Amino acid sequence: MSFIEIDNVWQEYGAHVVLERLDLVVDEGEFCTLVGASGCGKSTFLRLLLGQEAPSRGTIRMEGKALVAEPDPDRGVVFQRYSVFPHLNVRDNVVLGLELPQSRFWGRLFGRKKRAARQEATALLEKVGLSQALGKYPYQLSGGMQQRLAIAQAFIMKPRVLLLDEPFGALDPGVRKDMHALILELWRETGLTVFMVTHDLAEGFNLGTRLLVFDRTRQDPQAPEAYGARVTYDIPLNADRHASRKHLAALSSRILGRTSPTFPEGANA
């Protein structure tokens, strides 16, 4: 049985069709990078996987069961804008992810449970490179450090699926490279299934084990919102995530609208 199955999913807002005829099968542990022009439904697709929205048509299943129609601990998410709590220090931002599920009434842990939660959070923060910033507040952190904190918040919940919506888009190139190494290390260690939206094609090729290209294959100038995007190319990437320059050049041309896509043999359309 496949881990995630997406069967003929459409997402419509009134007469505006964002996604149409979406069919995918994803095995557990895959790292799927999502690319495509702005407005072609990549972030909408992540919201469907997260449970923030329900499909207008079709079904999404995880291990054969319909996806729970609201966010749950099995699905973690990291956005481009840092989703951290400004009134909590670094360690407490992460500890909160352990406190809320275990203490729904108080939202806090005490005694031995509190100490265990702090120890677990400290170990994870050390892994993501924030061991020297445990007592600092988000405003005292650089952009890269805030994004490391957001990643720690997601991983402390031990999700099975991690959703990344352009998580490194606002970071400087050098910091982005460090974050790439971090997310790959955590992915290898945990065996998570990852879906990551990016507008950086090189990033998509370098990080993913599978590249999903979203595009609108049908256009009507008289009704521009009548047709939605779908996955037009599903490209498996080799184990070390290095794809050929031919793929990158052809895909760049397609997304920028200069030429029709032509891929070498072996690329799956």
Side-chain angles (χ1 to χ4, degrees):
M1 180 185 299
S2 298
F3 183 51
I4 294 177
E5 298 172 273
I6 295 150
D7 184 16
N8 193 33
V9 163
W10 294 60
Q11 190 66 347
E12 303 159 293
Y13 305 101
H16 184 192
V17 182
V18 177
L19 295 171
E20 66 177 46
R21 299 182 293 163
L22 206 57
D23 292 289
L24 284 172
V25 174
V26 177
D27 292 329
E28 192 164 15
E30 290 198 79
F31 195 130
C32 301
T33 49
L34 284 55
V35 300
S38 296
C40 67
K42 303 182 298 298
S43 294
T44 298
F45 178 60
L46 285 195
R47 290 196 296 272
L48 293 173
L49 291 175
L50 183 60
Q52 283 184 321
E53 299 182 14
S56 302
R57 300 184 236 171
T59 58
I60 301 176
R61 294 183 294 273
M62 180 185 293
E63 294 186 323
K65 299 178 181 178
L67 200 65
V68 177
E70 60 182 21
D72 65 11
D74 279 340
R75 290 164 286 174
V77 61
V78 178
F79 299 103
Q80 180 176 358
R81 297 184 63 183
Y82 317 122
S83 53
V84 297
F85 298 101
H87 65 291
L88 298 177
N89 65 30
V90 165
R91 182 161 54 187
D92 287 345
N93 258 282
V94 178
V95 167
L96 187 65
L98 298 172
E99 289 186 310
L100 292 177
Q102 297 183 53
S103 180
R104 295 185 181 275
F105 182 75
W106 294 104
R108 297 181 63 187
L109 295 175
F110 302 93
R112 184 165 47 188
K113 288 185 177 180
K114 179 75 169 185
R115 289 192 297 272
R118 289 169 68 87
Q119 289 173 358
E120 186 175 347
T122 299
L124 179 56
L125 288 164
E126 182 175 355
K127 184 177 291 292
V128 302
L130 291 177
S131 60
Q132 303 301 314
L134 300 181
K136 292 186 176 181
Y137 287 83
Y139 76 89
Q140 298 173 301
L141 306 178
S142 67
M145 293 173 74
Q146 289 192 49
Q147 199 62 306
R148 287 174 185 269
L149 176 54
I151 289 171
Q153 285 180 314
F155 273 86
I156 198 69
M157 302 296 293
K158 299 180 176 63
R160 301 182 66 189
V161 178
L162 182 64
L163 308 172
L164 305 172
D165 195 357
E166 295 190 70
F168 314 129
L171 303 178
D172 294 333
V175 178
R176 291 180 71 173
K177 185 176 180 180
D178 292 341
M179 298 303 296
H180 291 170
L182 171 63
I183 204 70
L184 286 175
E185 178 186 354
L186 293 171
W187 168 67
R188 291 189 188 100
E189 289 181 358
T190 59
L192 282 173
T193 303
V194 178
F195 294 87
M196 188 182 87
V197 170
T198 179
H199 279 98
D200 184 331
L201 292 177
E203 182 175 72
F205 273 91
N206 289 333
L207 290 180
T209 61
R210 185 174 177 183
L211 187 84
L212 305 177
V213 182
F214 282 68
D215 196 10
R216 287 187 172 85
T217 58
R218 301 190 292 171
Q219 302 282 348
D220 183 349
Q222 305 303 317
E225 297 182 342
Y227 301 109
R230 56 192 296 262
V231 174
T232 54
Y233 288 93
D234 184 347
I235 305 170
L237 306 178
N238 52 27
D240 58 3
R241 290 168 304 282
H242 290 301
S244 69
R245 285 187 174 273
K246 279 189 176 181
H247 281 77
L248 184 57
L251 188 53
S252 296
S253 297
R254 172 58 178 165
I255 289 181
L256 294 175
R258 292 196 293 265
T259 63
S260 297
T262 55
F263 289 99
E265 290 187 13
N268 294 337

